[in-house]
Amino acid sequence: MCGIVGYIGYRDAYPIIIKGLHRLEYRGYDSAGIALYDKDLKVYKKAGKVSDLENFVKDVNLKGSIGMGHTRWATHGAPSDRNSHPHSSGDRKLTIIHNGIIENYGVIKETLLAKGHVFKSDTDTEVLIHLVEDIQKETGLDLYEAVRITLNKVIGAYAIVIMSADEPDELIAARKGSPMVIGVGKGEYFIASDATPIVEYTKNVIYLNDNEIAQVKRDSLLIKNIDNTVQTPYIQELDMKLEALEKGGYDHFMIKEIYEQARSIRDCLRGRIYPSQGKVQLGGIKEYADKLKNIDRIVIVACGTSWHAGLVGEYLIEEYARVPVEVEYASEFRYRNPIINSKDVVIAISQSGETADTMAALEIAKERGATIFGICNVVGASIPRITDAGVYTHAGPEIGVASTKAFTAQVTVLTLIAFYIAQQRGTITQSKLVEYLTELDEIPALVERTLQCNDHVKEIAARFKDSNNCLFLGRGSSFPVALEGALKLKEISYIHAEGYPAAEMKHGPIALIDADLPVIFIATKNSSYEKVVSNIQEVKARGGHVIAIVTEGDTQVRDMAEYVIEIPQTDDAFVPLLATIPLQLLAYHIAVMRGCNVDQPRNLAKSVTVE
């Protein structure tokens, strides 16, 4: 959701900024722009891709050792050159880039219009920079102080960077509700929405907190909060490798990340399970072990793919830890009056750790006294910083907009949490825990075996790439897998797809079945196997095309289905980690065959940091 890059130092800013914008393309955007200072302030912006911006500026002077760039995701105002960032003040001496939404921009705009301000875009961002200009002219304050006063007058979320022709040796950066990180170099600083544009130049970063404003100069950094109190920044070292941000020979980031799942699950498990001892160790929530023995309820809040992972977690935690679990859409949870108390544990799941709805849901839970845990992939993100405790997934950077390895890493963490709570509560025997953990330890190897189905899945994709609709069905913990499979297909191929519990098919979706409808079943050998077989027969009787994910060696479903995709035998608890992989591959290959932009599907952003 919008990308920000800023640089001040001794190098040419443009190459750093444009490379940074390319690194941020995964976040989703519809236009791009840059601002540079070299004797005067220059702004260039263009609707379209970063490559369109590069072509637009190829013949202009791009000198300057201070600058900033932006990829915009349209909120106020349609995608266009004039609505693209950066936006300038009326006197053209100030320019701003902004991620977020200024909720009271309409009232501010009316006041500024009455004072004679003229606006050239439809955006809330232009209103913000005009307000800074207005305050500076009325008060005579320097830029830093004018920005601080301005931000006390606005309501909403923002991550901003501002440049001034009158104060050309500094960048002003601030955040509230939208992420921002500052990279610390020698005689230079880098600013970005996340660490991906920075890791190439420095490993030392500062994550700005909400309501903090930074004055960034070539050789100094001053951070205050919005109340004018000086803050002492905490510098931490990035645990990110540059090669993780490259495709590494793959055609797309998505297929690379699908193939990284054996490694990401292994990294997630490392140091956390001791199979021979029957022990799970989660240092991030260790201090709450006693509380977990006596909790009344767990509430999981998440959005999108993370919500599907939460549903898998519900099955696992209730089955093994015997604790009631509710899984809530964070976007709904925050707008009702949920019953939460101090005996509850609320778990927030977010790949980025910046999902706006999930953060808002956590604030509600915190106000009501619940213990809040986070499951997140990004160290230093907002959610890990506002939760009481949590567990990182260690999946590594995920660049493809459609989550793949993030989902299986989240499910892995939830599996660990389920067994950890069961261990604390004594709802599982030591011998059983040894058995489960031994099998869980083998999952990365089984994932590698599962990925061998790729060529077969590609053949199936060729058969159904022109379908208009698709149905995904599963029972038990395979139902969330069906939901996730449907989401992946519609996200990147734009085929309408729905996931349902297989038993619910007869309560409505069966009306959709005809000779044109592919129906994908998760039909692995488990306690519901015979029921799923019956559902398959019902689809076949109505002429639907059956594609089945089955346990290796299954012959009963093979004789019934048009296509089968085998996954290795594993316990029911771990089927979601394997069964989801063929569905990811199916969505990927269908999308590629349909000519879709797999890594950057239309209308989608990687991280939804505004409502």
Side-chain angles (χ1 to χ4, degrees), residues 398-539:
E398 187 178 65
I399 306 301
V401 167
S403 281
T404 51
K405 64 177 182 176
F407 174 75
T408 50
Q410 289 167 353
V411 170
T412 301
V413 165
L414 287 162
T415 304
L416 293 174
I417 288 174
F419 288 135
Y420 183 77
I421 298 173
Q423 180 179 275
Q424 305 308 314
R425 291 169 62 87
T427 56
I428 191 169
T429 65
Q430 192 73 8
S431 60
K432 265 295 181 186
L433 205 47
V434 167
E435 182 182 319
Y436 283 128
L437 296 183
T438 300
E439 192 154 354
L440 180 58
D441 198 37
E442 292 299 315
I443 288 297
L446 298 186
V447 167
E448 290 175 346
R449 279 178 53 194
T450 302
L451 285 164
Q452 294 172 11
C453 73
N454 181 60
D455 290 344
H456 179 47
V457 172
K458 194 172 181 179
E459 294 171 4
I460 299 171
R463 169 68 177 81
F464 294 105
K465 67 181 176 63
D466 296 320
S467 299
N468 294 318
N469 299 284
C470 193
L471 195 59
F472 290 74
L473 300 172
R475 284 178 179 250
S477 61
S478 291
F479 160 52
V481 175
L483 289 173
E484 177 61 12
L487 179 62
K488 287 286 98 60
L489 186 64
K490 56 189 160 190
E491 277 183 317
I492 64 170
S493 75
Y494 318 139
I495 293 173
H496 175 254
E498 297 296 337
Y500 279 93
E504 286 295 303
M505 182 182 65
K506 289 180 285 189
H507 295 275
I510 199 168
L512 299 172
I513 295 171
D514 59 21
D516 295 322
L517 184 71
V519 183
I520 292 113
F521 282 92
I522 296 97
T524 53
K525 286 285 182 72
N526 58 29
S527 58
S528 301
Y529 178 74
E530 294 301 332
K531 298 293 184 183
V532 175
V533 168
S534 297
N535 296 141
I536 292 173
Q537 290 170 331
E538 289 165 347
V539 171

Side-chain angles (χ1 to χ4, degrees), residues 251-252 255 259 451-465 547 563-565 581-593:
D251 290 336
H252 300 92
I255 190 66
Y259 271 87
L451 285 164
Q452 294 172 11
C453 73
N454 181 60
D455 290 344
H456 179 47
V457 172
K458 194 172 181 179
E459 294 171 4
I460 299 171
R463 169 68 177 81
F464 294 105
K465 67 181 176 63
I547 304 162
Y563 295 94
V564 298
I565 304 167
I581 289 169
L583 303 184
Q584 294 170 348
L585 290 169
L586 183 65
Y588 170 78
H589 288 301
I590 286 176
V592 170
M593 291 173 187

